PDB file of all heavy atoms in Angstrom:
ATOM      1  N   LEU A 138      79.021 -23.411 -21.162  1.00 97.00           N
ATOM      2  CA  LEU A 138      80.118 -23.561 -22.034  1.00 97.00           C
ATOM      3  C   LEU A 138      79.749 -24.100 -23.373  1.00 97.00           C
ATOM      4  O   LEU A 138      80.160 -23.527 -24.442  1.00 97.00           O
ATOM      5  CB  LEU A 138      81.256 -24.362 -21.424  1.00 97.00           C
ATOM      6  CG  LEU A 138      82.578 -24.448 -22.240  1.00 97.00           C
ATOM      7  CD1 LEU A 138      83.126 -23.114 -22.590  1.00 97.00           C
ATOM      8  CD2 LEU A 138      83.579 -25.293 -21.364  1.00 97.00           C
ATOM      9  N   PRO A 139      79.066 -25.251 -23.484  1.00 96.00           N
ATOM     10  CA  PRO A 139      78.652 -25.705 -24.826  1.00 96.00           C
ATOM     11  C   PRO A 139      77.809 -24.693 -25.619  1.00 96.00           C
ATOM     12  O   PRO A 139      77.937 -24.552 -26.840  1.00 96.00           O
ATOM     13  CB  PRO A 139      77.824 -26.981 -24.519  1.00 96.00           C
ATOM     14  CG  PRO A 139      78.266 -27.441 -23.141  1.00 96.00           C
ATOM     15  CD  PRO A 139      78.679 -26.204 -22.464  1.00 96.00           C
ATOM     16  N   PHE A 140      76.964 -23.991 -24.926  1.00 96.00           N
ATOM     17  CA  PHE A 140      76.206 -22.922 -25.591  1.00 96.00           C
ATOM     18  C   PHE A 140      77.164 -21.907 -26.223  1.00 96.00           C
ATOM     19  O   PHE A 140      76.866 -21.417 -27.311  1.00 96.00           O
ATOM     20  CB  PHE A 140      75.260 -22.205 -24.599  1.00 96.00           C
ATOM     21  CG  PHE A 140      73.814 -22.851 -24.580  1.00 96.00           C
ATOM     22  CD1 PHE A 140      73.418 -23.700 -23.556  1.00 96.00           C
ATOM     23  CD2 PHE A 140      72.951 -22.521 -25.634  1.00 96.00           C
ATOM     24  CE1 PHE A 140      72.183 -24.185 -23.525  1.00 96.00           C
ATOM     25  CE2 PHE A 140      71.635 -23.035 -25.585  1.00 96.00           C
ATOM     26  CZ  PHE A 140      71.274 -23.969 -24.530  1.00 96.00           C
ATOM     27  N   ALA A 141      78.162 -21.443 -25.423  1.00 96.00           N
ATOM     28  CA  ALA A 141      79.074 -20.457 -25.913  1.00 96.00           C
ATOM     29  C   ALA A 141      79.854 -20.887 -27.140  1.00 96.00           C
ATOM     30  O   ALA A 141      80.077 -20.211 -28.060  1.00 96.00           O
ATOM     31  CB  ALA A 141      80.054 -19.975 -24.797  1.00 96.00           C
ATOM     32  N   VAL A 142      80.260 -22.206 -27.095  1.00 96.00           N
ATOM     33  CA  VAL A 142      81.081 -22.764 -28.201  1.00 96.00           C
ATOM     34  C   VAL A 142      80.113 -22.930 -29.474  1.00 96.00           C
ATOM     35  O   VAL A 142      80.562 -22.689 -30.551  1.00 96.00           O
ATOM     36  CB  VAL A 142      81.598 -24.222 -27.791  1.00 96.00           C
ATOM     37  CG1 VAL A 142      82.224 -24.879 -28.966  1.00 96.00           C
ATOM     38  CG2 VAL A 142      82.694 -24.014 -26.707  1.00 96.00           C
ATOM     39  N   LEU A 143      78.899 -23.368 -29.212  1.00 95.00           N
ATOM     40  CA  LEU A 143      77.938 -23.545 -30.322  1.00 95.00           C
ATOM     41  C   LEU A 143      77.759 -22.178 -31.024  1.00 95.00           C
ATOM     42  O   LEU A 143      77.676 -22.076 -32.286  1.00 95.00           O
ATOM     43  CB  LEU A 143      76.562 -24.082 -29.899  1.00 95.00           C
ATOM     44  CG  LEU A 143      75.556 -24.357 -30.938  1.00 95.00           C
ATOM     45  CD1 LEU A 143      76.082 -25.272 -32.008  1.00 95.00           C
ATOM     46  CD2 LEU A 143      74.299 -24.914 -30.244  1.00 95.00           C
ATOM     47  N   GLU A 144      77.549 -21.102 -30.223  1.00 96.00           N
ATOM     48  CA  GLU A 144      77.396 -19.758 -30.738  1.00 96.00           C
ATOM     49  C   GLU A 144      78.581 -19.353 -31.603  1.00 96.00           C
ATOM     50  O   GLU A 144      78.508 -18.758 -32.685  1.00 96.00           O
ATOM     51  CB  GLU A 144      77.191 -18.778 -29.629  1.00 96.00           C
ATOM     52  CG  GLU A 144      77.028 -17.333 -30.076  1.00 96.00           C
ATOM     53  CD  GLU A 144      75.821 -16.982 -30.942  1.00 96.00           C
ATOM     54  OE1 GLU A 144      74.857 -17.752 -30.881  1.00 96.00           O
ATOM     55  OE2 GLU A 144      75.853 -15.991 -31.647  1.00 96.00           O
ATOM     56  N   LEU A 145      79.831 -19.668 -31.181  1.00 94.00           N
ATOM     57  CA  LEU A 145      80.977 -19.420 -31.855  1.00 94.00           C
ATOM     58  C   LEU A 145      81.053 -20.182 -33.220  1.00 94.00           C
ATOM     59  O   LEU A 145      81.490 -19.644 -34.241  1.00 94.00           O
ATOM     60  CB  LEU A 145      82.220 -19.760 -30.994  1.00 94.00           C
ATOM     61  CG  LEU A 145      83.593 -19.260 -31.438  1.00 94.00           C
ATOM     62  CD1 LEU A 145      83.611 -17.761 -31.214  1.00 94.00           C
ATOM     63  CD2 LEU A 145      84.708 -19.862 -30.578  1.00 94.00           C
ATOM     64  N   LEU A 146      80.501 -21.359 -33.190  1.00 93.00           N
ATOM     65  CA  LEU A 146      80.542 -22.202 -34.481  1.00 93.00           C
ATOM     66  C   LEU A 146      79.424 -21.812 -35.388  1.00 93.00           C
ATOM     67  O   LEU A 146      79.467 -22.051 -36.642  1.00 93.00           O
ATOM     68  CB  LEU A 146      80.413 -23.688 -34.092  1.00 93.00           C
ATOM     69  CG  LEU A 146      81.526 -24.291 -33.365  1.00 93.00           C
ATOM     70  CD1 LEU A 146      81.235 -25.759 -32.855  1.00 93.00           C
ATOM     71  CD2 LEU A 146      82.876 -24.316 -34.116  1.00 93.00           C
ATOM     72  N   ALA A 147      78.358 -21.238 -34.879  1.00 92.00           N
ATOM     73  CA  ALA A 147      77.087 -20.990 -35.669  1.00 92.00           C
ATOM     74  C   ALA A 147      77.283 -19.808 -36.583  1.00 92.00           C
ATOM     75  O   ALA A 147      76.771 -19.817 -37.731  1.00 92.00           O
ATOM     76  CB  ALA A 147      75.967 -20.707 -34.746  1.00 92.00           C
ATOM     77  N   LEU A 148      77.995 -18.825 -36.174  1.00 93.00           N
ATOM     78  CA  LEU A 148      78.156 -17.667 -37.020  1.00 93.00           C
ATOM     79  C   LEU A 148      79.406 -16.807 -36.525  1.00 93.00           C
ATOM     80  O   LEU A 148      79.792 -16.915 -35.433  1.00 93.00           O
ATOM     81  CB  LEU A 148      76.966 -16.730 -36.984  1.00 93.00           C
ATOM     82  CG  LEU A 148      76.642 -15.857 -35.766  1.00 93.00           C
ATOM     83  CD1 LEU A 148      75.691 -14.753 -36.136  1.00 93.00           C
ATOM     84  CD2 LEU A 148      76.039 -16.739 -34.646  1.00 93.00           C
ATOM     85  N   PRO A 149      79.996 -15.985 -37.464  1.00 93.00           N
ATOM     86  CA  PRO A 149      81.087 -15.171 -37.096  1.00 93.00           C
ATOM     87  C   PRO A 149      80.726 -14.014 -36.295  1.00 93.00           C
ATOM     88  O   PRO A 149      79.591 -13.483 -36.434  1.00 93.00           O
ATOM     89  CB  PRO A 149      81.724 -14.747 -38.536  1.00 93.00           C
ATOM     90  CG  PRO A 149      80.527 -14.776 -39.365  1.00 93.00           C
ATOM     91  CD  PRO A 149      79.637 -15.885 -38.883  1.00 93.00           C
TER      92      PRO A 149
END
Side-chain angles (χ1 to χ4, degrees):
L138 182 54
F140 266 104
V142 173
L143 182 57
E144 176 67 22
L145 196 66
L146 295 172
L148 74 162

